[in-house]
Amino acid sequence: MEFNEMKDSVLKQILSKQLIQATISQPRAKSNEIKRIKLKPIEIKNMYHIQLEYQYERILKHENIRIEEFSSAWEKLLDDFRQIHVDFIEEKIQIQLSKKNKVMYKTEKNTSLKQVDLSHNRKKNYLLDEHTPYPFLIRLGVQTSEGKVKKQKYDKFKQINRFIEFIDDTLAYLPKDKTVRILDFGSGKSYLTFALYHYLKIEKGLDIRVTGLDLKKEVIEECSQIAKDLDYDDLEFLVGDINDYNDETAVDMVVTLHACDVATDMALARAVKWNASVILSVPCCQHELNRQLDAPGLNIMLKHGLIKERFSALATDSIRAEILNLVGYEAQLVEFIDIENTPKNILIRAYKTGGKPTHEQIEGYEQFKEMLNAQPFLENELKEYLNID
């Protein structure tokens, strides 16, 4: 299919009010601060609009465009981005554009029978409905046996749903022709591990096999029993840590939540070496850079212990994301949960693209590292993948 034919065909369905949702991603320009745009139809004052949700590194912005005025916006979107996933009422479309607008176009019948939801001013629409009983949430004590979210667990329920939103965003990057292999390092009480399994296996019907790994034997035993009680046959929990686990040669998704200090880097390095398509990591207790920092130009900040600690954490995660960008991933730092609930609220989200870094990217990374006197553990772990002198 030619570019103009594709452009007109998709636009025609949108203008015919067939759109359920769409995601536009892969900015053509590295300087584009917008990383992803989500589209959905809404009704405002009895008038049909297309809502554009612009996803930046740390914030979301919204724009509502009347359908009669959408054509020009559609042209601009195709000029700035290269990947499009669209759900229409009767079909799903995946489009990949080359630099010269050569079109890779896939379509399949939409069997989910979704209806267009035009509601706008409504309560938060969670992927897990707060009025529906879920066996794993009941078993974990988040819901009552009747399916009502317990008041003291509502923040946990929101966290679980926020995590599932990230999982939902990964679907386009996971393999479709084999069992999807997922590892969760430091799974702990495993609220999110169970949520991931439920959403991908039960809600989405994917062929997956999930392993949760943690050092606490009693926690692993409890989680294993819960998985057995729920008949989660493709979910297992093992005692061990990142350094001990050598049972895999390839993994599709690696999740690591609150792995302390360089344990996060170990998990990220393992994910890269396994050629993982998706990495989701919430770091914790970043001490490495705090010990190394030697930046006289920042002394006004760094003489304050609290500020130095927070700066070190932010700089560490920025370095981690940039290293992932340099070894062929599209990495972003996004807010995982409201900061009033936990200060450990940054999630590193990375998708395997196979892209090669530019000279400017490598130079920028080196300058930042030199400014801080940083010697990143993750860089050393991935030195064979980095073309850095």
Side-chain angles (χ1 to χ4, degrees):
M1 179 178 287
E2 297 296 325
F3 176 75
N4 287 331
E5 180 186 357
M6 175 278 297
K7 178 182 67 177
D8 293 342
S9 174
V10 175
L11 178 61
K12 182 178 179 181
Q13 290 208 63
I14 293 175
L15 298 182
S16 300
K17 301 182 180 180
Q18 299 296 301
L19 178 67
I20 296 175
Q21 63 184 2
T23 300
I24 299 175
S25 58
Q26 290 191 7
R28 292 179 184 266
K30 293 288 186 181
S31 58
N32 193 341
E33 294 182 352
I34 303 171
K35 304 304 179 186
R36 186 175 284 101
I37 302 174
K38 291 190 174 183
L39 282 65
K40 68 176 181 179
I42 62 173
E43 191 173 83
I44 303 175
K45 296 182 179 179
N46 296 319
M47 298 183 67
Y48 190 101
H49 290 68
I50 302 294
Q51 182 180 86
L52 278 64
E53 180 183 87
Y54 300 98
Q55 299 185 0
Y56 295 79
E57 285 285 356
R58 296 280 296 172
I59 61 173
L60 301 177
K61 292 185 179 180
H62 295 85
E63 179 183 16
N64 300 319
I65 302 175
R66 291 178 56 183
I67 193 167
E68 297 84 359
E69 302 167 352
F70 182 73
S71 297
S72 58
W74 177 243
E75 293 273 356
K76 182 71 166 59
L77 292 173
L78 295 184
D79 287 341
D80 292 346
F81 294 86
R82 295 174 52 193
Q83 183 168 280
I84 306 159
H85 297 271
V86 191
D87 281 10
F88 289 120
I89 292 175
E90 295 185 355
E91 68 174 339
K92 296 182 179 182
I93 297 173
Q94 296 185 34
I95 300 165
Q96 185 73 44
L97 303 174
S98 71
K99 291 182 179 179
K100 295 183 179 180
N101 280 340
K102 182 179 179 181
V103 180
M104 292 179 61
Y105 186 96
K106 294 182 179 180
T107 182
E108 61 180 279
K109 185 176 181 181
N110 192 345
T111 58
S112 61
L113 300 177
K114 287 185 177 179
Q115 296 300 311
V116 178
D117 183 1
L118 299 179
S119 56
H120 179 48
N121 297 319
R122 66 183 189 275
K123 195 174 181 179
K124 172 69 176 177
N125 187 19
Y126 292 119
L127 288 174
L128 293 184
D129 180 61
E130 60 184 297
H131 302 296
T132 299
Y134 297 97
F136 82 97
L137 288 180
I138 295 171
R139 191 71 168 76
L140 293 170
V142 177
Q143 288 182 320
T144 65
S145 57
E146 293 79 26
K148 183 178 180 181
V149 177
K150 296 179 181 179
K151 185 177 180 180
Q152 68 272 28
K153 291 291 187 179
Y154 202 79
D155 285 343
K156 177 61 69 176
F157 177 77
K158 290 196 296 183
Q159 183 193 46
I160 289 169
N161 264 288
R162 178 65 171 150
F163 181 67
I164 287 178
E165 288 177 8
F166 290 122
I167 295 299
D168 188 66
D169 287 341
T170 71
L171 293 177
Y173 297 88
L174 296 176
K176 309 292 190 297
D177 56 350
K178 68 181 186 69
T179 300
V180 178
R181 187 71 178 101
I182 301 172
L183 291 180
D184 183 355
F185 287 119
S187 54
K189 294 183 179 179
S190 301
Y191 290 99
L192 302 183
T193 318
F194 281 106
L196 178 154
Y197 184 90
H198 168 87
Y199 189 71
L200 292 180
K201 183 76 171 183
I202 297 172
E203 300 270 340
K204 292 298 181 179
L206 269 62
D207 178 12
I208 64 173
R209 187 163 68 89
V210 182
T211 297
L213 200 70
D214 199 273
L215 287 170
K216 299 185 181 74
K217 182 179 178 182
E218 64 278 8
V219 171
I220 290 298
E221 289 175 349
E222 181 180 357
C223 292
S224 296
Q225 187 60 53
I226 293 172
K228 182 178 179 181
D229 293 344
L230 294 172
D231 294 325
Y232 284 3
D233 297 332
D234 295 306
L235 172 60
E236 65 175 354
F237 293 93
L238 303 175
V239 177
D241 65 12
I242 296 165
N243 291 321
D244 296 334
Y245 195 80
N246 298 301
D247 294 349
E248 307 290 338
T249 56
V251 173
D252 301 300
M253 180 191 292
V254 171
V255 178
T256 169
L257 303 174
H258 301 148
C260 190
D261 200 19
V262 296
T264 290
D265 301 294
M266 294 177 188
L268 295 178
R270 280 296 186 89
V272 171
K273 292 173 182 178
W274 279 324
N275 201 33
S277 301
V278 176
I279 303 171
L280 299 175
S281 175
V282 178
C284 178
C285 309
Q286 298 98 321
H287 300 309
E288 182 195 28
L289 183 59
N290 196 308
R291 294 188 293 267
Q292 298 173 355
L293 266 177
D294 182 12
L298 299 177
N299 280 348
I300 289 177
M301 291 175 57
L302 303 182
K303 67 181 179 181
H304 304 285
L306 175 64
I307 300 300
K308 183 180 181 184
E309 180 182 350
R310 292 184 179 177
F311 176 84
S312 298
L314 293 171
T316 296
D317 288 338
S318 299
I319 288 171
R320 286 165 170 160
E322 195 59 22
I323 289 174
L324 290 174
N325 285 329
L326 295 176
V327 297
Y329 284 79
E330 176 192 336
Q332 301 169 329
L333 302 178
V334 296
E335 187 176 68
F336 176 41
I337 195 68
D338 293 341
I339 198 163
E340 60 263 27
N341 294 320
T342 173
K344 303 166 186 174
N345 72 325
I346 290 179
L347 180 139
I348 302 171
R349 175 175 62 186
Y351 302 128
K352 180 74 174 181
T353 64
K356 303 297 183 184
T358 64
H359 174 73
E360 290 75 16
Q361 278 182 289
I362 296 172
E363 189 175 64
Y365 168 74
E366 291 281 22
Q367 289 174 351
F368 187 69
K369 186 179 65 168
E370 183 178 347
M371 179 184 71
L372 301 179
N373 191 42
Q375 301 170 44
F377 182 92
L378 182 59
E379 179 186 322
N380 187 61
E381 287 290 294
L382 293 176
K383 58 187 176 183
E384 62 189 284
Y385 296 82
L386 288 160
N387 186 20
I388 294 176
D389 296 328

